[in-house]
Amino acid sequence: MSQDRVYSFEFFPPKTEEGMEKLHATRRQLAQYNPHFFSVTYGAGGSTQEGTLRAVREIKQAGHDVAPHLSCIGSTREGIRQLINQFKSDGIRHIVALRGDLPSGMAVAGEFRFANELVAFIREETGDWFHIEVAAYPEYHPQAKSAQDDIRNFVNKANAGANSAITQYFYNPDAYFAFVDAVQAQGVNIPIVPGIMPISNFSQLARFSDVCGAEIPRWLRLRLQGYADDVASIRSFGLDVVTELCDKLLQGGAPGLHFYTLNQAGLVSTVWQRLGL
């Protein structure tokens, strides 16, 4: 395996002290793999801003590189300016810059409409201080007018100053490689790291996938449905599927892997060990 590949783990900010304790335990377990960074998500319209900031600071204080997610929809320029200055004063050098979702009940998009505007604003305000990650959608964003439109949106983010990208999760490696080829054909060569979602609960995965536009291939959906409530079989089969997916991606030249942990270490650790990373 190439040494310059980037491996990272994503968390969400817990809502309770108990959840925070569990996150500490998960982070300690995954830290032994020396990831390049941990990332922490950010709720719609900044609804988890306090929790995100707290989790980010604690990970940073434990000696790890950390990348807070920052979504701009529903936000003001001044609000974003304050946040990035806060990250900067905390010594954070890495941001995942996203458009994000408008919180339910909020009708106005705020002063930013697209992620490329957020990337450009961070660059204007802070120069090269931050390594900026953006999102990529190998199976295309659910709100994109067309595949071509989505490729164009991605190119705009890269041209605005993004350093690299993390994809939405997927289970079809061909979709990833086709997306990378399409972007490179537009002259964009930033690293696009595949996002990996371990499989532990089929109904939860199906719900996530319907919302975010990630496709569960028919063969995979039918196999998982066939296990019904047999959690052990779902996990065992899911581990085989995800390990094989990661292996194909790395063999095909993917520049790393970004694991959506859902604040759990077990499945990610098993995949990691099976891959021999």
Side-chain angles (χ1 to χ4, degrees):
M1 298 286 173
S2 163
Q3 289 307 301
D4 54 5
R5 285 187 161 134
V6 172
Y7 298 101
S8 49
F9 300 120
E10 183 169 305
F11 302 135
F12 61 84
K15 291 190 169 71
T16 63
E17 285 306 313
E18 187 185 12
M20 198 55 97
E21 283 305 311
K22 186 169 165 242
L23 177 56
H24 293 330
T26 299
R27 191 249 309 146
R28 282 193 293 271
Q29 190 173 338
L30 294 176
Q32 67 186 318
Y33 303 124
N34 296 316
H36 289 77
F37 66 94
F38 293 104
S39 75
V40 183
T41 63
Y42 186 84
S47 55
T48 65
Q49 188 173 310
E50 291 297 312
T52 299
L53 200 53
R54 179 181 167 191
V56 161
R57 283 175 170 160
E58 292 186 6
I59 292 168
K60 175 84 177 149
Q61 282 160 6
H64 307 291
D65 280 345
V66 61
H69 288 215
L70 180 58
S71 60
C72 62
I73 203 90
S75 300
T76 63
R77 293 168 79 83
E78 185 50 39
I80 296 290
R81 181 180 289 119
Q82 287 175 10
L83 256 178
I84 57 179
N85 285 333
Q86 179 73 68
F87 293 146
K88 199 174 168 186
S89 67
D90 286 340
I92 288 158
R93 304 293 306 255
H94 206 147
I95 281 181
V96 182
L98 307 164
R99 189 196 71 163
D101 300 315
L102 201 60
S104 54
M106 187 184 276
V108 184
E111 294 180 34
F112 297 91
R113 291 172 309 145
F114 304 109
N116 65 294
E117 295 171 1
L118 175 60
V119 173
F121 181 73
I122 295 170
R123 284 280 171 251
E124 284 162 23
E125 293 288 315
T126 62
D128 290 333
W129 177 268
F130 291 107
H131 179 107
I132 301 177
E133 305 273 358
V134 291
Y137 297 87
E139 293 165 330
Y140 308 115
H141 192 283
Q143 292 168 358
K145 295 187 188 77
S146 67
Q148 290 76 8
D149 203 46
D150 201 46
I151 296 286
R152 199 157 39 243
N153 288 340
F154 182 81
V155 169
N156 289 342
K157 290 189 284 193
N159 290 340
N163 299 97
S164 52
I166 297 167
T167 77
Q168 177 60 272
Y169 69 87
F170 56 89
Y171 296 102
N172 175 2
D174 292 343
Y176 167 80
F177 292 119
F179 181 84
V180 171
D181 287 348
V183 165
Q184 289 180 346
Q186 299 294 313
V188 170
N189 288 296
I190 64 172
I192 300 174
V193 173
I196 304 298
M197 178 72 84
I199 300 171
S200 62
N201 176 319
F202 174 62
S203 57
Q204 181 189 50
L205 181 67
R207 201 165 57 245
F208 279 171
S209 302
D210 289 345
V211 170
C212 70
E215 187 172 311
I216 304 174
R218 179 177 161 77
W219 68 269
L220 179 54
R221 187 179 281 270
L222 291 175
R223 282 289 298 273
L224 290 168
Q225 280 174 339
Y227 291 122
D229 296 327
D230 182 351
V231 175
S233 293
I234 288 172
R235 286 181 165 231
S236 172
F237 174 65
L239 279 167
D240 290 345
V241 168
V242 171
T243 304
E244 186 182 351
L245 170 66
C246 292
D247 198 44
K248 282 181 178 169
L249 291 166
L250 294 173
Q251 297 294 342
L257 299 169
H258 178 80
F259 291 93
Y260 295 106
T261 70
L262 302 181
N263 294 7
Q264 311 269 352
L267 293 176
V268 173
S269 294
T270 305
V271 171
W272 185 277
Q273 287 156 11
R274 285 186 178 189
L275 290 169
L277 297 175

